[in-house]
Amino acid sequence: MHQEKLNSGQRKAVEFSGKHLLVLAGAGTGKTKTIISRAAHLINTGVDPSKIQILTFTKKAANEIVERVKSNLPQSQGNALNGATFHSWCNQLIVRYPNLFGAASYTVVDPDDQLSIMKMVCGNNKLEFGKLRIKPQQLIDVYSFARNTKKSLTQALRIKLFKNKEDADTDYELSVIKPHVENLLRAYQAKKGIQRYLDYDDLLLVVATQLGNNPEARTILSQNLDYLLVDEMQDTNPLQWQLLDPFVHICHLFCVGDDAQSIYSFRGADFKNVHLFKERVPDSEVYKLEKNYRSTQEILDLSNWLLKKSPIDYKKQLESIRGNGEIPQLINVTDEWQEANWVADEILKNYTDEDRSFSDHLVLSRSQYYTKSLQAVFIRRKIPYVTYGGRKFMQAAHIKDLVSLLRIVNNPYDEIAWIRFLTFQEGIGEVRASRILQQVIEATEGADIPEILQNAMPGEDGSKISKLYSSIKEKTNVGAMVDEAYEAMSLGLAFRYRRDWDEKRKGDFPVLKLLAQSYPTLGEFIGEGLLDNAEQMNGTNVLSESKLNTDEDKDHVIISTVHSAKGLEADVCIVLNVSPKAFPSSWSLDDLEAIEEDRRVLYVALTRAKNRLILTRNTSSISAVHNRTLPSRAGEKTSDAESYFLEGMPDNLVEQKTIAQQFGNVQDAATPNTIDLSSGMDFS
């Protein structure tokens, strides 16, 4: 991005010459442009591109930033610039410095594999304590939450299993289950170590621990890193802060974020990483970007008002560069079906009367489940749409089948991959696979895997698999490894997934090869590929009747949860069910921190709109908001009505409209009858 295209606030941040900087970038203020311009400015002023690292939360965002930096530099000048997600970058460091981090030949496991490992650890043990039953997935959730938030096991159990309840019964149950959970989590950690597995959190922990405890690690990394540029700083959690903290003394930090858009506390994100940046980072400054390029001023007036109502001082007032436009609408409805039909009417009217496309519309909701009635109406009225979500590319069963072969080549201790690959072979069930695996694991140290396979599987099967293993192991090109594996497994894959092989699955393997070719080593491909689960390689999940899953037709309404909408924007944004007990959620009413996160969720939703913002509200819930009280910060009681975010909203901020119930014409009796209440009860 050329310097003359920056406003004064952006230019000041881009040309910052101090040690560390936090850029508080409000919604739509050009934070991506600023971080791109910062990288280009550093390179133009003589900084080696290879010593600049850009960190963000999706690979797509990282790639976009890097490519846009390169497009504004002379040819090849920015080729050495690296952009990655936190987990991806840590994986790269672990692979690049195998001795330093001690994780050579470890396999990165995805959430499905984590669950498999935990189930192995739990075995047939039933964790039942009175009415409380703990499932393996809950153990993983507690384990991950504790590590990402740096909370104790006791705290994590109280939050994740007991929803923060504090009473004598809860304390007793907690004291009973904690030793059992601790034993299982310790066994899970040991199992990962034995089988050389790293889960996603381990990637960050391994690097953060070495950097925090080992001066040599800091020295080695400081030689290859001068500037660390962090995007979406408000989404970082305490573990990610632990990772970033040593770099305060290693290089220059340039962090961009918005504490008012921190909405991922359920993943452990802590808005204090932005809110307390200056206190935590010596020699740091904070600049603000408040000029908004996305929305009209009326949309920002409502968003600014929402933040000002918060007890947290966000110190920001967004100002539209584009000037004035339409006042946001607040549509009062009586139920979700009326809401869905009104939304469909509005979109079709815009499509026909205003010549807007379907893709000009973004519909946001707290949950995808809430939109089921809307989706049903869209299907019936033939409105094309896509939803954000669905199974990710590397998690699809047919992809995991093939990758299981590559995983055992990379790490012979990978029990999960061995079982998956062996049971894929015709005639091998789980019992036989377990016997083969036992022989492989026992003989792996100092032995040749193909030889072990032939001993464990006498005959044609063992010979075939051992030759395949050797053939893949000998290849240096990761794309060629995928080709070799596919050639060997394609018939089996086509048979196993015969119902939708040609239509859906077969075309994924050229994509897998293309992905593999971009990695220099098999270990990096397996680790990075798994980490890309946040990105859908095979396109958005299409649920509409028109099946818009081709590149030729991309005109569709987007239906998204607010949490999946970060980075999205649309000409017309419709936010569903901005009602009491939804904003804030009824689950949040006893937790003031949760209430404020819900406020930030709504703020994110409002600031997605460019020209027209529409909120819908269920009027049946409004009358119920005065019925209970909740504790406030100062200790006095406040009502649900006072916590409802739109309570007390000035009339001039929105244009309200109430949708009347539609009744058909009916013919009543000519004269009124007398009510008879004597029937219907037998008093004998």
Side-chain angles (χ1 to χ4, degrees):
M1 193 61 58
H2 299 296
Q3 297 292 313
E4 63 269 16
K5 293 183 180 178
L6 301 172
N7 64 40
S8 58
Q10 292 167 338
R11 182 174 291 107
K12 182 182 175 187
V14 164
E15 297 176 354
F16 176 72
S17 58
K19 182 70 174 173
H20 307 298
L21 180 66
L22 169 68
V23 181
L24 270 180
T29 56
K31 71 173 183 60
T32 305
K33 177 164 75 169
T34 302
I35 205 166
I36 289 166
S37 299
R38 174 64 171 175
H41 171 76
L42 291 173
I43 295 169
N44 282 329
T45 53
V47 177
D48 183 345
S50 68
K51 294 192 173 186
I52 300 171
Q53 176 65 50
I54 297 169
L55 291 181
T56 187
F57 279 82
T58 67
K59 186 171 183 181
K60 179 182 176 185
N63 287 344
E64 179 191 351
I65 290 171
V66 169
E67 290 308 312
R68 284 175 62 183
V69 173
K70 289 180 183 177
S71 70
N72 288 283
L73 293 170
Q75 192 172 8
S76 79
Q77 194 175 340
N79 282 349
L81 183 66
N82 187 41
T85 64
F86 280 84
H87 295 85
S88 174
W89 183 50
C90 288
N91 187 60
Q92 291 170 19
L93 293 174
I94 287 168
V95 172
R96 196 175 303 154
Y97 304 103
N99 293 339
L100 178 63
F101 295 108
S105 297
Y106 271 67
T107 297
V108 181
V109 292
D110 70 7
D112 287 347
D113 292 337
Q114 278 186 277
L115 183 58
S116 298
I117 299 166
M118 187 62 80
K119 285 178 177 177
M120 292 178 197
V121 168
C122 292
N124 295 321
N125 297 325
K126 287 190 175 180
L127 277 174
E128 294 184 11
F129 307 93
K131 295 180 181 178
L132 182 65
R133 183 185 177 193
I134 305 175
K135 298 177 181 177
Q137 184 60 57
Q138 289 175 293
L139 292 173
I140 290 171
D141 293 343
V142 167
Y143 180 69
S144 180
F145 183 78
R147 298 202 298 167
N148 277 285
T149 58
K150 313 304 292 180
K151 293 185 185 300
S152 69
L153 177 56
T154 301
Q155 289 173 308
L157 285 169
R158 190 180 293 279
I159 292 167
K160 300 300 282 186
L161 293 188
F162 296 100
K163 307 303 178 190
N164 261 330
K165 281 198 296 184
E166 295 193 29
D167 53 55
D169 289 342
T170 301
D171 291 344
Y172 173 73
E173 287 182 319
L174 192 54
S175 68
V176 170
I177 69 168
K178 180 179 175 288
H180 297 281
V181 172
E182 180 180 347
N183 288 338
L184 288 169
L185 295 186
R186 288 186 183 278
Y188 172 76
Q189 286 195 152
K191 182 87 170 168
K192 285 192 299 177
I194 291 167
Q195 296 187 299
R196 299 186 185 181
Y197 289 143
L198 295 175
D199 60 36
Y200 291 173
D201 302 334
D202 290 327
L203 294 172
L204 272 61
L205 266 170
V206 165
V207 177
T209 302
Q210 280 293 342
L211 285 170
N213 300 338
N214 186 352
E216 183 187 20
R218 296 192 291 274
T219 300
I220 289 174
L221 262 64
S222 67
Q223 294 169 356
N224 298 296
L225 188 65
D226 289 337
Y227 289 88
L228 193 56
L229 279 55
V230 184
D231 194 15
E232 305 286 9
M233 184 67 181
Q234 77 281 347
D235 295 336
T236 54
N237 60 37
L239 173 57
Q240 285 159 331
W241 177 255
Q242 182 189 345
L243 173 69
L244 291 175
D245 190 38
F247 290 98
V248 171
H249 309 288
I250 290 173
C251 63
H252 296 74
L253 291 183
F254 183 89
C255 303
V256 182
D258 183 2
D259 47 356
Q261 295 188 70
S262 179
I263 60 173
Y264 296 104
S265 68
F266 64 93
R267 296 181 193 161
D270 187 353
F271 86 105
K272 295 187 188 74
N273 287 352
V274 165
H275 213 60
L276 302 178
F277 185 87
K278 197 162 173 57
E279 296 173 31
R280 291 179 173 181
V281 181
D283 300 322
S284 67
E285 294 187 45
V286 177
Y287 291 171
K288 286 195 284 187
L289 300 181
E290 296 179 300
K291 294 191 182 300
N292 178 286
Y293 289 85
R294 177 186 299 146
S295 308
T296 56
Q297 190 60 50
E298 286 78 2
I299 293 168
L300 298 182
D301 287 342
L302 180 58
S303 308
N304 288 333
W305 172 82
L306 178 69
L307 281 194
K308 279 185 179 175
K309 292 276 288 182
S310 171
I312 297 172
D313 184 5
Y314 290 101
K315 296 185 174 69
K316 61 171 58 67
Q317 178 80 9
L318 295 182
E319 177 189 341
S320 176
I321 293 293
R322 298 179 52 219
N324 295 328
E326 298 179 27
I327 294 176
Q329 295 181 59
L330 176 59
I331 308 300
N332 294 303
V333 296
T334 54
D335 60 53
E336 61 193 70
W337 289 102
Q338 187 189 58
E339 174 186 58
N341 278 294
W342 186 89
V343 169
D345 287 341
E346 177 70 11
I347 290 173
L348 289 171
K349 178 169 69 70
N350 293 344
Y351 184 75
T352 54
D353 297 351
E354 299 185 17
D355 201 27
R356 292 182 189 268
S357 62
F358 288 120
S359 59
D360 287 331
H361 299 82
L362 170 64
V363 181
L364 297 177
S365 172
R366 287 297 296 266
S367 72
Q368 202 61 263
Y369 179 81
Y370 183 82
T371 68
K372 294 301 180 188
S373 52
L374 180 73
Q375 293 180 41
V377 169
F378 276 16
I379 290 171
R380 178 168 55 81
R381 302 186 65 177
K382 295 186 168 44
I383 297 175
Y385 71 92
V386 294
T387 62
Y388 271 47
R391 197 72 168 159
K392 309 301 188 283
F393 181 72
M394 290 292 285
Q395 289 179 315
H398 57 296
I399 297 294
K400 293 187 78 169
D401 285 340
L402 186 139
V403 172
S404 67
L405 172 55
L406 303 180
R407 280 174 55 168
I408 60 178
V409 171
N410 181 63
N411 174 13
Y413 293 89
D414 192 336
E415 182 178 334
I416 294 169
W418 273 114
I419 294 292
R420 186 170 195 122
F421 175 69
L422 289 171
T423 54
F424 180 84
Q425 310 306 312
E426 190 177 352
I428 300 180
E430 286 197 14
V431 175
R432 188 183 173 199
S434 297
R435 289 199 201 105
I436 296 167
L437 174 64
Q438 193 62 37
Q439 293 181 58
V440 171
I441 297 295
E442 287 174 359
T444 295
E445 287 294 340
D448 181 54
I449 295 294
E451 185 182 327
I452 297 169
L453 285 169
Q454 287 190 320
N455 292 334
M457 303 170 64
E460 189 178 333
D461 284 347
S463 177
K464 181 180 73 174
I465 293 174
S466 63
K467 285 178 182 175
L468 177 60
Y469 183 99
S470 298
S471 178
I472 292 175
K473 187 79 173 174
E474 289 165 4
K475 288 184 168 45
T476 54
N477 180 283
V478 187
M481 294 179 184
V482 170
D483 260 349
E484 186 82 10
Y486 179 68
E487 187 177 336
M489 297 175 68
S490 58
L491 283 177
L493 288 164
F495 181 75
R496 176 171 286 196
Y497 302 105
R498 53 194 177 277
R499 290 182 64 184
D500 58 359
W501 174 249
D502 286 321
E503 298 83 5
K504 288 186 178 178
R505 300 182 189 258
K506 186 177 181 181
D508 286 344
F509 291 99
V511 178
L512 185 69
K513 179 183 177 182
L514 199 65
L515 183 66
Q517 286 174 330
S518 63
Y519 293 98
T521 67
L522 181 58
E524 283 182 89
F525 166 61
I526 291 171
E528 295 285 293
L530 289 171
L531 292 171
D532 288 342
N533 278 337
E535 303 299 315
Q536 290 194 93
M537 298 294 296
N538 56 347
T540 308
N541 183 31
V542 179
L543 299 178
S544 70
E545 190 177 65
S546 53
K547 292 183 171 57
L548 291 172
N549 54 3
T550 61
D551 290 334
E552 287 76 35
D553 192 349
K554 291 185 176 179
D555 186 23
H556 43 242
V557 178
I558 292 176
I559 300 174
S560 174
T561 63
V562 183
H563 284 93
S564 298
K566 293 286 290 295
L568 292 178
E569 59 182 35
D571 206 39
V572 180
C573 180
I574 302 170
V575 187
L576 302 179
N577 195 31
V578 185
S579 309
K581 304 299 176 72
F583 286 100
S585 162
S586 55
W587 295 101
S588 304
L589 289 178
D590 291 320
D591 185 340
L592 288 160
E593 285 191 9
I595 287 174
E596 288 311 307
E597 173 141 340
D598 281 352
R599 187 189 304 277
R600 296 193 291 269
V601 169
L602 182 54
Y603 174 79
V604 168
L606 301 183
T607 54
R608 300 307 95 198
K610 295 161 79 172
N611 291 313
R612 183 177 296 171
L613 173 63
I614 301 169
L615 315 179
T616 66
R617 176 170 66 178
N618 191 323
T619 53
S620 63
S621 61
I622 296 175
S623 59
V625 300
H626 299 276
N627 295 340
R628 56 171 265 173
T629 60
L630 64 154
S632 76
R633 283 175 197 271
E636 74 275 8
K637 301 289 185 179
T638 61
S639 70
D640 281 358
E642 288 173 277
S643 74
Y644 174 46
F645 295 148
L646 299 191
E647 189 72 20
M649 178 175 56
D651 292 339
N652 65 326
L653 288 183
V654 296
E655 176 187 338
Q656 286 205 53
K657 182 177 181 182
T658 299
I659 308 304
Q661 284 281 22
Q662 299 295 315
F663 297 103
N665 294 325
V666 295
Q667 184 171 349
D668 197 4
T671 57
N673 290 318
T674 303
I675 292 177
D676 179 8
L677 299 178
S678 63
S679 62
M681 179 66 199
D682 182 357
F683 286 98
S684 62

